[in-house]
Amino acid sequence: MVEKVGATNNNNNINHQTFDVSLDVHQQGASKCFDDDGRLKRTGNEWTASAHIITAVIGSGVLSLAWAIAQLGWIAGPAVMILFSLVTYYTSTLLSACYRTGDPVTGKRNYTYMDAVHSNLGGFKVKLCGLVQYVNLFGVAIGYTIAASISMMAIKRSNCYYKSGDKNPCKMNSNIYMISFGITEIIFSQIPDFDQLWWLSILAAVMSFTYSTIGLGLGIGKVVENKRIKGSLTGITVGPVTETDKVWRSFQALGDIAFAYSYSMILIEIQDTVKSPPTESKTMKKATFVSVVVTTLFYMLCGCFGYAAFGDSSPGNLLTGFGFYNPYWLLDIANAAIVVHLVGAYQVYCQPLFAFIEKNAAKRFPDSDFINKDIDVPIPGLSHPYKLNLFRLVWRTIFVITSTVISMLLPFFNDIVGLLGALGFWPLTVYFPVEMYIIQKKIPKWSTKWICLHMLSIACLIISIAAAAGSIAGVVTDLKSYKPFKSDY
């Protein structure tokens, strides 16, 4: 563990990963350049935090919402979506209150989700949280790689359809597109940490609004073209699917919607970029409110108009569904926006995992130049050289390659999305925030608030189990007719 107050950039980079801060660093807290923990002043605000959240939330999950509503119907679909938005907002406010342990103004900062669990709960729960969080983040990398390849193929296919006049089936393999996305992520993964991702998050947030708006516009256009609103109150009817399939699909739809709202696993890391005053928790509550309201509005519009346009045959990925090949150039813009957005979202989700591995490596091998030493690499046009860290270069590259290969093995977009949503929703979005908040605020056992919080947690656990079961059933079904590395569409 490095605890020096060195002025060198290298030491500052290492100190960015530490938990403990020496007394003389605390005495620097009142300076104009450093925060109370000795780190450089944080500059984030509710708008940059909102950009990070929107980048994380309005991701590929929005594309599966029309399919999810089609499984649940006009009553349950929107109701479940609103329910998830309310639960996500409420538990996010609980989690943001745990950024500092003790006093919300002067308490010890928790730099990561695991730090917060360590400070408030400790013991085995810290390891359990780390396992769930980082496995989920790895899974998100896989899901986003699959989603990006689907959008890249959609661009190629729409142009193929346009040129051939619908005579060419335009079959193509997704592997080359996944590899291309992986190469791009290898490059962007060398951005050292969250603080330097703000520009990529803002760009990605703009892209998310771009393709969501186009999807919404195409959905409205399709409804107008059909001259009626498709769908039913109870969702897809038994007949085209069996009763058992309908149950499993309904459960999987819960996972898809949960995935669309999943960002709690990186909330603390986002909060650690926010300046104070006001307190970080107040800023994050505002950012969370803005983000959840905006994303829910987009989700409702995209999901409902997609279902209204396609009814029971709503595609798993709205923008790659049949009938949306004209105007092909508009679809190309939307899918290109998805790819750009996913490049940024991939980094927003993976940075906490990158930081965790690198912090622990530096702690275990403090004298290793391979892990701790930065090499100045001059870049034309930039006033400061890029600081290349060999360990960061090697391990992050291996991470991206691994996630890309697994994506090529399991290219099931809908099922993977549902499974990720199910696995991450209860423990990361509900259970840990509720338990930490109870400890943080010293809520008496068996009090009304204590009982209500645990009832919320149990209800969400049941939903997560059902969603996971539905998604696993979907994966099993897909595997029956699947050949590895031969994913032609």
Side-chain angles (χ1 to χ4, degrees):
M1 182 77 71
V2 182
E3 294 187 356
K4 297 179 181 178
V5 193
T8 65
N9 289 330
N10 189 41
N11 282 342
N12 281 337
N13 287 338
I14 298 172
N15 273 324
H16 191 74
Q17 306 292 337
T18 62
F19 290 99
D20 305 319
V21 186
S22 58
L23 179 62
D24 57 331
V25 173
H26 275 293
Q27 292 171 346
Q28 282 188 319
S31 75
K32 293 181 179 180
C33 297
F34 297 91
D35 274 327
D36 57 351
D37 60 345
R39 295 186 178 181
L40 290 175
K41 278 281 187 183
R42 293 159 175 82
T43 58
N45 53 42
E46 63 183 276
W47 300 114
T48 60
S50 295
H52 282 313
I53 294 172
I54 291 172
T55 297
V57 177
I58 303 185
S60 55
V62 70
L63 304 175
S64 65
L65 291 178
W67 181 90
I69 293 179
Q71 312 315 307
L72 300 171
W74 279 118
I75 297 176
V80 168
M81 203 176 295
I82 292 174
L83 177 64
F84 272 98
S85 70
L86 293 175
V87 170
T88 300
Y89 170 70
Y90 179 65
T91 57
S92 294
T93 61
L94 301 185
L95 183 57
S96 66
C98 300
Y99 172 67
R100 288 184 183 267
T101 301
D103 190 275
V105 178
T106 60
K108 173 185 172 292
R109 294 173 185 263
N110 296 305
Y111 302 131
T112 67
Y113 197 121
M114 277 188 70
D115 290 353
V117 175
H118 184 272
S119 298
N120 290 282
L121 301 177
F124 171 73
K125 290 181 180 179
V126 179
K127 295 180 180 179
L128 178 62
C129 170
L131 177 64
V132 175
Q133 182 187 10
Y134 295 124
V135 167
N136 207 267
L137 291 174
F138 182 62
V140 168
I142 294 170
Y144 280 3
T145 302
I146 296 170
S149 70
I150 290 173
S151 290
M152 286 188 274
M153 285 192 295
I155 295 173
K156 181 75 173 176
R157 186 181 290 113
S158 67
N159 289 318
C160 173
Y161 268 65
Y162 176 73
K163 292 177 180 177
S164 66
D166 295 346
K167 296 177 182 178
N168 187 339
C170 298
K171 289 282 186 178
M172 58 193 71
N173 191 286
S174 63
N175 291 340
I176 185 65
Y177 299 98
M178 292 186 188
I179 292 170
S180 300
F181 184 78
I183 292 172
T184 303
E185 291 303 340
I186 288 174
I187 296 170
F188 279 100
S189 69
Q190 295 310 307
I191 297 174
D193 54 41
F194 238 131
D195 286 339
Q196 299 176 40
L197 271 180
W198 63 269
W199 62 273
L200 190 57
S201 279
I202 291 174
L203 174 63
V206 171
M207 292 297 103
S208 68
F209 284 120
T210 300
Y211 68 72
S212 297
T213 302
I214 292 174
L216 173 60
L218 290 172
I220 294 173
K222 189 70 174 177
V223 171
V224 172
E225 180 185 322
N226 294 337
K227 296 181 180 179
R228 69 186 182 93
I229 295 175
K230 292 186 177 183
S232 64
L233 296 180
T234 57
I236 190 168
T237 55
V238 175
V241 297
T242 64
E243 289 185 7
T244 303
D245 284 342
K246 179 170 173 60
V247 172
W248 288 130
R249 283 177 170 225
S250 297
F251 287 165
Q252 185 183 333
L254 297 177
D256 284 3
I257 295 173
F259 178 79
Y261 280 103
S262 63
Y263 75 94
S264 295
M265 67 191 81
I266 58 171
L267 184 144
I268 295 291
E269 284 82 352
I270 293 174
Q271 192 166 346
D272 192 43
T273 67
V274 172
K275 63 184 177 183
S276 63
T279 61
E280 298 86 358
S281 60
K282 286 184 178 179
T283 301
M284 281 305 293
K285 284 179 182 178
K286 291 179 181 178
T288 298
F289 179 78
V290 170
S291 304
V292 171
V293 168
V294 170
T295 53
T296 300
L297 177 62
F298 264 82
Y299 284 176
M300 291 291 285
L301 291 172
C302 291
C304 290
F305 272 105
Y307 182 41
F310 290 110
D312 289 353
S313 57
S314 295
N317 185 329
L318 184 62
L319 288 176
T320 58
F322 64 90
F324 269 5
Y325 291 111
N326 286 304
Y328 81 100
W329 55 268
L330 188 60
L331 261 209
D332 288 353
I333 293 174
N335 281 296
I338 291 175
V339 175
V340 174
H341 171 264
L342 291 176
V343 168
Y346 186 106
Q347 293 303 318
V348 169
Y349 270 103
C350 291
Q351 281 294 337
L353 177 54
F354 293 160
F356 173 76
I357 295 296
E358 289 156 18
K359 176 203 72 182
N360 281 282
K363 183 179 178 180
R364 171 164 278 195
F365 305 103
D367 300 323
S368 170
D369 286 344
F370 175 73
I371 293 174
N372 298 307
K373 185 177 180 181
D374 289 343
I375 302 171
D376 288 344
V377 179
I379 299 178
L382 294 181
S383 56
H384 300 287
Y386 173 74
K387 294 191 173 299
L388 175 67
N389 180 282
L390 292 178
F391 176 68
R392 183 173 68 225
L393 174 66
V394 172
W395 120 255
R396 292 189 184 188
T397 299
I398 292 173
F399 172 89
V400 175
I401 291 173
T402 304
S403 65
T404 303
V405 170
I406 295 176
S407 301
M408 292 160 64
L409 282 169
L410 299 170
F412 314 133
F413 175 71
N414 245 34
D415 300 329
I416 295 297
V417 163
L419 187 58
L420 289 172
L423 293 177
F425 175 68
W426 177 70
L428 298 175
T429 302
V430 183
Y431 174 73
F432 285 118
V434 164
E435 294 298 318
M436 288 191 290
Y437 184 79
I438 289 173
I439 297 293
Q440 180 94 332
K441 300 300 181 182
K442 298 180 174 62
I443 297 173
K445 196 172 185 179
W446 302 113
S447 64
T448 302
K449 190 167 187 178
W450 186 93
I451 292 172
C452 289
L453 286 170
H454 279 93
M455 286 177 64
L456 171 66
S457 183
I458 292 169
C460 291
L461 171 60
I462 294 170
I463 291 172
S464 286
I465 292 173
S471 298
I472 291 171
V475 171
V476 170
T477 301
D478 287 339
L479 285 174
K480 291 178 181 178
S481 59
Y482 170 68
K483 295 181 180 179
F485 298 110
K486 293 183 180 180
S487 49
D488 293 322
Y489 293 91

